[in-house]
Amino acid sequence: MGIVVQKYGGSSVADAAAVKRVARRIVEAKKAGNDVVVAVSAMGDTTDDLLALAEQVSPLPPARELDMLMTAGERISMAVVAMAISDLGFSARSFTGSQAGVITDSVHQKAKIIDVTPGRISTALEEGHIVIVAGFQGVSQDTKEITTLGRGGTDTTAVALAAALDADVCEIYTDVDGVFTADPRIVPAARKLDRVTYEEMLELAACGAKILHLRCVEYARRYNIPIHVRSSFSQLDGTVVSGSIEDRTQEDSMEQAIIAGVAHDRSEAKITVVGVPDKVGEAARIFEALAAAQTNLDMIVQNVSAAATNLTDISFTLPRGDGQAAMAALAALQSEIGFESLLYNDQIGKISLIGAGMRSHPGITAKFFGALASAGVNISMISTSEIRISVVVEESQVDEAVRATHTAFDLDATEVEAVVYGGTGR
Ligand code: ASP
Ligand code: MG
């Protein structure tokens, strides 16, 4: 008998009717002869509502208490899903992350899973129960405090459980039919991918595709767990995330699409440090200060210094939420380093073209930039990896840029495939 791990996102368990529907689906997997372990997210917009409540109560709630509050959302889901299953004549046991053995580091709000000790889950499975686990939470090994894994973290809970239990597959149920070549809300002609490699999915997730939590993909890759992303609202086969680009044979890569998709991200801001003296150690000082302020940087560009002045500009992008802290950290350095000024712009967006095939196909960059040019989109920053090209553009041009790129790479489907069932994309 195999073990199947399933994850249901917030839109799949948004209300009582949805919970009952999901319970029937879980029972089907059990009836098919599997041991079933389910990770659930909070119902609908519960997590946002809880956060909004916290904000009303306190402008700066302590992170420990925020975690206590936010984990309550998933506890509600796990209990009601278990109830709905027992109503169908099957027995289910729900467990909090801590009870399920999800052990994390001690960083509140963005804890990392460091171990899973699923003793209670295994016992419950042996006793014939279906196991329901509250997603997105764990317990710190050091502090013994309850932690959360960051927004969207239930995906990671599911994959971590699948790895610890040596499950056959991890099914991630969401409100779209799988991973698409672009966000169907922007590109109605986006196509569903049948298969995508871990590396491509990592880039997609890191570049703003919200379909899977980044950590979940990292975890799946490390433990070689195939993820099947599919809709809880339809019976269609979704997208299987598995395999490494390294393992692909020549034949595979001949058949493989060159481009997996176009991702976009509107969550970043850009800071420019203007007029930095072009000498050894200045960049190090700037980025040490940013590191001390706990800012997560993404793209970094340093211009060639103007010969006359020997001054250069350094620009980088970072999450908008880190913007204030970064600006404060840099402002404190201004007299010491002697740069001219700081610019902050959060009206930017990032477009990324991702595909394993670009390693062996020349001309991808030219085509990408050509598409943006024809759409009248100006590029302000560029960065690349082996399988990705990203550009920063004006925020107001993001949709246009995504559509133009999607069309230029012949990704548009002739018939509309993309249905967004729930509306939240989780
Ligand atoms: N409920 C949490 C969130 O909305 C975790 C999750 O959905 O995976 O971010
Ligand atoms: Mg959620």
Side-chain angles (χ1 to χ4, degrees):
M1 196 156 64
I3 298 184
V4 171
V5 174
Q6 301 185 328
K7 176 256 174 171
Y8 290 94
S11 58
S12 296
V13 290
D15 54 24
V19 165
K20 289 188 190 177
R21 195 169 45 79
V22 159
R24 286 196 291 274
R25 194 140 194 168
I26 294 169
V27 163
E28 273 169 40
K30 175 74 177 169
K31 280 189 192 157
N34 303 294
D35 276 343
V36 186
V37 177
V38 178
V40 285
S41 291
M43 295 171 72
D45 297 328
T46 302
T47 308
D48 290 324
D49 296 345
L50 292 172
L51 269 176
L53 171 64
E55 264 165 39
Q56 284 170 38
V57 173
S58 152
L60 264 185
R64 177 189 187 277
E65 305 309 331
L66 264 181
D67 278 353
M68 286 301 220
L69 179 70
M70 288 167 76
T71 48
E74 272 68 16
R75 293 182 63 153
I76 294 172
S77 298
M78 71 176 192
V80 293
V81 169
M83 289 173 196
I85 291 173
S86 75
D87 206 48
L88 296 171
F90 285 75
S91 91
R93 286 271 183 280
S94 67
F95 296 96
T96 65
S98 160
Q99 289 176 316
V102 180
I103 315 285
T104 71
D105 63 18
S106 56
V107 187
H108 286 293
Q109 296 281 293
K110 47 182 175 196
K112 286 204 179 88
I113 296 178
I114 51 183
D115 195 10
V116 180
T117 50
R120 293 191 67 178
I121 298 183
S122 302
T123 307
L125 290 176
E126 276 160 28
E127 291 168 1
H129 305 295
I130 294 170
V131 171
I132 315 293
V133 178
F136 153 77
Q137 55 184 275
V139 60
S140 158
Q141 190 167 48
D142 299 340
T143 62
K144 308 292 177 222
E145 300 288 5
I146 298 299
T147 54
T148 58
L149 309 179
R151 298 304 306 268
T154 305
D155 294 346
T156 304
T157 303
V159 172
L161 290 172
L165 295 164
D166 198 17
D168 296 333
V169 64
C170 181
E171 297 179 332
I172 306 273
Y173 285 94
T174 176
D175 65 355
V176 289
D177 286 316
V179 180
F180 282 81
T181 48
D183 184 337
R185 294 171 193 81
I186 297 183
V187 185
R191 264 192 228 171
K192 180 169 71 73
L193 299 166
D194 293 330
R195 214 195 127 187
V196 64
T197 60
Y198 290 125
E199 288 90 344
E200 289 166 312
M201 196 62 233
L202 279 172
E203 294 277 14
L204 286 166
C207 294
K210 299 206 174 49
I211 184 98
L212 286 178
H213 198 228
L214 179 59
R215 289 252 185 76
C216 131
V217 189
E218 287 170 352
Y219 220 97
R221 181 185 181 200
R222 177 150 18 109
Y223 293 95
N224 204 17
I225 305 287
I227 305 177
H228 188 177
V229 184
R230 56 196 308 193
S231 168
S232 70
F233 297 80
S234 80
Q235 296 291 335
L236 296 176
D237 268 339
T239 302
V240 175
V241 185
S242 68
S244 164
I245 54 172
E246 306 299 337
D247 306 335
R248 292 231 158 163
T249 63
Q250 195 69 27
E251 246 166 82
D252 274 353
S253 43
M254 295 290 287
E255 282 174 23
Q256 183 193 334
I258 299 171
I259 300 299
V262 187
H264 70 279
D265 186 351
R266 288 179 225 265
S267 67
E268 295 192 339
K270 173 174 140 183
I271 292 179
T272 303
V273 190
V274 182
V276 183
D278 192 1
K279 59 178 203 262
V280 174
E282 299 301 10
R285 277 211 273 186
I286 287 174
F287 290 103
E288 276 160 16
L290 292 168
Q294 302 280 331
T295 46
N296 269 313
L297 305 180
D298 182 19
M299 287 191 199
I300 301 172
V301 171
Q302 175 174 335
N303 292 338
V304 181
S305 58
T309 59
N310 205 33
L311 295 177
T312 185
D313 295 346
I314 297 178
S315 296
F316 56 88
T317 62
L318 75 176
R320 287 181 194 174
D322 290 348
Q324 282 209 335
M327 287 294 277
L330 291 172
L333 278 182
Q334 181 159 12
S335 54
E336 195 183 315
I337 295 185
F339 60 79
E340 279 166 17
S341 59
L342 290 173
L343 301 175
Y344 181 77
N345 179 2
D346 61 9
Q347 307 291 301
I348 62 158
K350 186 172 77 170
I351 317 290
S352 303
L353 183 69
I354 291 145
M358 70 174 68
R359 294 187 303 171
S360 49
H361 285 79
I364 304 287
T365 308
K367 193 168 177 180
F368 181 22
F369 294 179
L372 295 173
S374 313
V377 176
N378 189 42
I379 299 171
S380 72
M381 288 169 97
I382 302 167
S383 83
T384 61
S385 82
E386 205 188 5
I387 61 167
R388 171 185 56 78
I389 308 163
S390 302
V391 298
V392 169
V393 303
E394 248 177 57
E395 186 176 13
S396 62
Q397 294 191 306
V398 166
D399 289 9
E400 189 53 39
V402 172
R403 281 193 285 263
T405 308
H406 198 266
T407 304
F409 284 91
D410 291 327
L411 296 171
D412 294 349
T414 39
E415 274 168 52
V416 172
E417 295 180 11
V419 185
V420 181
Y421 301 93
T424 66
R426 288 229 173 273

